[in-house]
Amino acid sequence: IFFRQGFFRMSSPTPKPAAGAPQGTQELTVFVQNLLQQMQTRFQEMSDAIINRIDEMGGRIDDLEKSIAELMQQAGIEEGDAGPGAK
């Protein structure tokens, strides 16, 4: 609250920019470009990690299918014979 010519005046102080915050249009442009580049880099890293995990899971599924086929062969079961309706 500030006193001005005998009246009370409610006023909030003008917000000051945070330390390191861009001040001008040029700085803001550079700041936004850097932020977008960081976001794109992070997105690419996450995308690569997801693709790698999918590739790993695909390899594991292939190995599992081979193991099941070997077990079925050892048990004398043909691939078409096994299943919920097989007798």
Side-chain angles (χ1 to χ4, degrees), residues 11-12 16 19-20 24 29 34 39 45 52 61-62 67 71 81 85:
S11 176
S12 60
K16 295 181 182 177
T29 301
N34 287 338
M39 290 172 62
E45 290 170 354
N52 287 336
I61 290 170
D62 289 343
S67 295
L71 289 171
D81 291 345

Side-chain angles (χ1 to χ4, degrees), residues 11-85:
S11 176
S12 60
T14 305
K16 295 181 182 177
Q23 299 295 319
T25 305
Q26 180 76 19
E27 289 180 21
L28 182 60
T29 301
V30 170
F31 176 79
V32 170
Q33 287 175 342
N34 287 338
L35 183 61
L36 290 173
Q37 181 63 42
Q38 290 172 4
M39 290 172 62
Q40 182 175 356
T41 300
R42 182 68 179 137
F43 180 80
Q44 187 63 47
E45 290 170 354
M46 291 173 58
S47 179
D48 291 344
I50 290 169
I51 290 171
N52 287 336
R53 293 292 301 257
I54 290 171
D55 288 343
E56 288 174 11
M57 288 174 51
R60 289 179 182 175
I61 290 170
D62 289 343
D63 292 343
L64 183 58
E65 287 175 342
K66 288 177 189 174
S67 295
I68 291 171
E70 289 173 4
L71 289 171
M72 289 174 65
Q73 185 180 21
Q74 290 172 3
I77 303 172
E78 295 296 322
E79 283 190 44
D81 291 345

